[in-house]
Amino acid sequence: CGGDVGKLTLMLRGIACRLTQEGVKQILDEVGLRGTFSFVYVPRVITRKSNLGYAFVRFRCEDYARVCERICHGQPFGPAAEGKLCEVVPANSQFDEQAIMRKRRRKQHGQEPEILFCDDPIDIDNVSP
């Protein structure tokens, strides 16, 4: 990857509602994307143990984002997602960690959102942009 600064943050829609951020990371790692993304954010319903059905993933470069789209788009994403197919689209806002913190803090009355930061090394054998 070069100095890409394009569509680095993707929205994964239609994920299994019981998935946590760690679960999303684990699935991405298992499909060969380990080390290609810098954070995972899964908005959750505070009063229930479920997410809102989507996740944001920030990739280290646009090539890795395209690999994610190629692998995940149109496939079930997570257990209990048989009836759902993942839709991978660029996030409306190509935000970074700080932007998520500001936005969610406003929506959740000052409560800090939890973001799963990822600094795994890239598994070169599995990733080819």
Side-chain angles (χ1 to χ4, degrees):
C1 286
D4 291 354
V5 292
K7 305 291 186 190
L8 301 179
T9 305
L10 296 181
M11 181 181 200
L12 282 61
R13 297 180 187 153
I15 68 171
C17 289
R18 295 281 180 195
L19 277 178
T20 61
Q21 292 176 152
E22 291 80 6
V24 170
K25 179 187 181 305
Q26 181 179 354
I27 290 169
L28 293 173
D29 287 351
E30 288 172 359
V31 298
L33 294 169
R34 182 175 188 265
T36 64
F37 50 95
S38 58
F39 74 76
V40 173
Y41 174 56
V42 179
R44 302 192 64 76
V45 177
I46 297 172
T47 57
R48 297 192 307 243
K49 292 184 177 183
S50 65
N51 64 52
L52 297 176
Y54 57 89
F56 295 100
V57 181
R58 175 96 173 166
F59 286 87
R60 299 188 189 282
C61 73
E62 201 167 352
D63 287 343
Y64 294 149
R66 282 192 287 272
V67 171
C68 175
E69 181 178 12
R70 188 175 69 236
I71 292 171
C72 298
H73 189 81
Q75 301 298 316
F77 196 92
E82 293 88 28
K84 298 180 185 179
L85 297 180
C86 183
E87 180 183 4
V88 180
V89 296
N92 287 338
S93 298
Q94 289 298 305
F95 41 62
D96 57 14
E97 306 83 70
Q98 290 79 24
I100 289 176
M101 298 291 272
R102 286 190 303 274
K103 183 176 182 179
R104 294 305 294 174
R105 194 176 299 127
R106 282 194 310 267
K107 284 190 173 184
Q108 296 181 351
H109 309 291
Q111 181 179 348
E112 293 289 327
E114 293 185 22
I115 299 172
L116 178 62
F117 293 99
C118 310
D119 61 356
D120 297 329
I122 295 173
D123 187 349
I124 291 297
D125 294 333
N126 287 328
V127 181
S128 57

